[in-house]
Amino acid sequence: MKRVLSGIQPSGQLTLGNYIGAIQNFVKLQHEHECFFMVVDLHAITVPQEPEKLREQTEAVAALYIAAGLDPNKSNIFLQSHVHQHAELGWLMTTLSYMGELERMTQFKDKSEGKQSVGTGLFVYPALMAADILLYQADLVPVGDDQKQHLELTRDLAARFNGRFGEFLTVPEPYIPEVGARIMSLDDASKKMSKSNPNPGSFIALLDDPAVIRKKISRAKTDSEALVKYDPANKPEISNLMSIYAHAAGMSIAEIEAKYEGQMYGPFKKDLAEHVAALIEPLQARYHEVRRTGEHHEALRRGAERAREAAEQTLTEVKRRMGFVLPQ
Ligand code: AQP
């Protein structure tokens, strides 16, 4: 059985991008693999977070995992900060990484662009992400396309460790969905849809009211050609909406093109909003139930227990190989 590890930052309200690009795959993978899915709260603080908001968002992500179909009896669901081994291996991986390779990370460049002061946490974040994955000797990492570069670094760090200290760490493979790997912003199709975007009109939050979803989709940017055609290079906005449509309605791009042939964007957008609302409504109902019962707390407790056990085994061996004196 392969091991799977992934996580999402509680850095805002989860978006449809997070759902299509990541969570839907988590749910699929849990049936065939040993899975560890965390809420990466230590990553969230690489940009400033309001403590109360961070707490609420962390609870929300954990509850959304369960609402989306992660089964605590199949998947180990936990908070990254409940497993202290992440911070420790994170430091060890930081010492193995080079400034040059961290400077090349596009996410770092995007998030630090135009900022007067940039936290060092944001810079070394990919080394912590590598530690998250390597701690569990994960074979597969389900992520959206945007995380591919970080995963490459993880593979490099694992190979570097193995080269210096002997073959031990598993070199993980990315698991990226074929459709929906990168859902773009509703107001700017050159940027990915992000939960931390200050413009709420740029993303669909999984907890948005259906009326809000309809409004956001009706206002989503499109070109002036009024032709429902999938052409990401020349028609990025409508192509992005079509990817979302394909996902939400379970239709192929060709079927969507045929359905709206000769029509303007209005009817397409109207139907898209209905499909997205229908996708999200049951998830929201289940989410509110989880929050009411608090069932995610017991799942997080059990998940962290199992995660600590697996993480400690790796960390101890890594430290031994690196030359640390282990407690007698
Ligand atoms: N727009 C997207 N399309 C497809 N997949 C996406 N993911 C994120 N945005 C999209 C995937 O969701 C997972 C969670 O990522 P994360 O929370 O660790 O950080 P992120 O990739 O930086 O996601 P956000 O939403 O953009 O968060 P902020 O705004 O805080 O940076 C990952 O698997 C990611 O690929």
Side-chain angles (χ1 to χ4, degrees):
M1 208 192 251
K2 286 193 170 167
R3 247 192 201 177
V4 172
L5 177 285
S6 200
I8 296 189
Q9 300 185 60
S11 45
Q13 287 205 39
L14 292 201
T15 70
L16 197 60
N18 299 133
Y19 186 59
I20 295 174
I23 300 178
Q24 283 194 326
N25 272 329
F26 296 0
V27 175
K28 268 189 235 151
L29 287 166
Q30 71 177 343
H31 301 296
E32 296 141 37
H33 302 291
E34 185 188 11
C35 292
F36 292 85
F37 295 120
M38 29 170 207
V39 183
V40 285
D41 45 4
L42 296 175
H43 285 283
I45 59 164
T46 54
V47 295
Q49 301 289 342
E50 192 75 37
E52 262 324 303
K53 262 192 164 171
L54 179 64
R55 252 188 291 277
E56 170 52 29
Q57 285 162 188
T58 302
E59 294 253 4
V61 178
L64 273 169
Y65 274 173
I66 293 173
L70 285 186
D71 176 353
N73 293 318
K74 291 202 168 105
S75 295
N76 300 295
I77 304 168
F78 60 100
L79 306 185
Q80 184 187 27
S81 63
H82 285 183
V83 183
H84 66 80
Q85 288 84 351
H86 287 263
E88 199 170 343
L89 189 65
W91 171 247
L92 303 182
M93 288 299 136
T94 303
T95 65
L96 287 182
S97 56
Y98 300 121
M99 297 285 289
E101 59 193 353
L102 295 178
E103 275 163 358
R104 280 196 295 277
M105 295 293 129
T106 51
Q107 197 173 85
F108 172 71
K109 288 190 210 161
D110 290 349
K111 289 196 173 178
S112 57
E113 195 187 344
K115 301 245 163 69
Q116 276 204 320
S117 57
V118 178
T120 42
L122 191 63
F123 185 65
V124 297
Y125 150 108
L128 178 58
M129 177 168 159
D132 296 339
I133 297 165
L134 301 176
L135 259 186
Y136 299 93
Q137 302 277 30
D139 303 285
L140 277 184
V141 185
V143 283
D145 196 45
D146 59 311
Q147 292 291 342
K148 222 166 153 180
Q149 198 188 22
H150 289 158
L151 207 76
E152 260 320 304
L153 178 78
T154 303
R155 290 167 56 84
D156 290 346
L157 289 177
R160 194 170 300 157
F161 177 92
N162 290 345
R164 281 179 62 181
F165 305 110
E167 219 37 57
F168 174 60
L169 293 174
T170 304
V171 180
E173 296 286 340
Y175 182 92
I176 297 175
E178 276 169 30
V179 182
R182 195 181 284 250
I183 302 295
M184 310 311 278
S185 234
L186 299 182
D187 62 343
D188 177 355
S190 69
K191 289 192 187 139
K192 71 165 184 143
M193 185 179 280
S194 263
K195 59 178 124 60
S196 61
N197 189 317
N199 172 17
S202 71
F203 59 79
I204 294 171
L206 293 178
L207 297 176
D208 272 345
D209 196 78
V212 173
I213 293 174
R214 288 186 188 99
K215 194 181 266 177
K216 284 184 177 179
I217 291 179
S218 77
R219 290 185 180 166
K221 201 173 158 202
T222 44
D223 52 63
S224 53
E225 201 184 11
L227 173 67
V228 181
K229 182 169 179 282
Y230 190 76
D231 179 359
N234 301 305
K235 293 166 71 67
E237 294 90 1
I238 194 73
S239 301
N240 181 44
L241 295 180
M242 288 174 77
S243 295
I244 298 175
Y245 195 124
H247 230 88
M251 279 168 73
S252 71
I253 295 288
E255 284 168 337
I256 299 167
E257 281 180 348
K259 181 165 180 187
Y260 295 98
E261 201 181 337
Q263 295 194 49
M264 312 281 273
Y265 291 145
F268 166 84
K269 279 183 159 183
K270 206 160 170 283
D271 293 349
L272 171 61
E274 293 318 313
H275 284 300
V276 171
L279 179 75
I280 281 181
E281 266 166 345
L283 178 86
Q284 292 188 348
R286 176 77 178 111
Y287 168 80
H288 293 300
E289 187 185 319
V290 174
R291 288 302 298 265
R292 203 172 45 246
T293 59
E295 61 193 271
H296 55 302
H297 294 131
E298 173 59 12
L300 292 177
R301 196 191 56 71
R302 281 197 288 139
E305 220 169 83
R306 173 73 193 102
R308 275 193 292 268
E309 217 175 90
E312 187 52 38
Q313 277 183 18
T314 310
L315 181 63
T316 301
E317 185 56 17
V318 164
K319 287 168 76 176
R320 192 187 68 74
R321 285 174 183 246
M322 287 180 84
F324 288 91
V325 175
L326 299 176
Q328 302 292 315

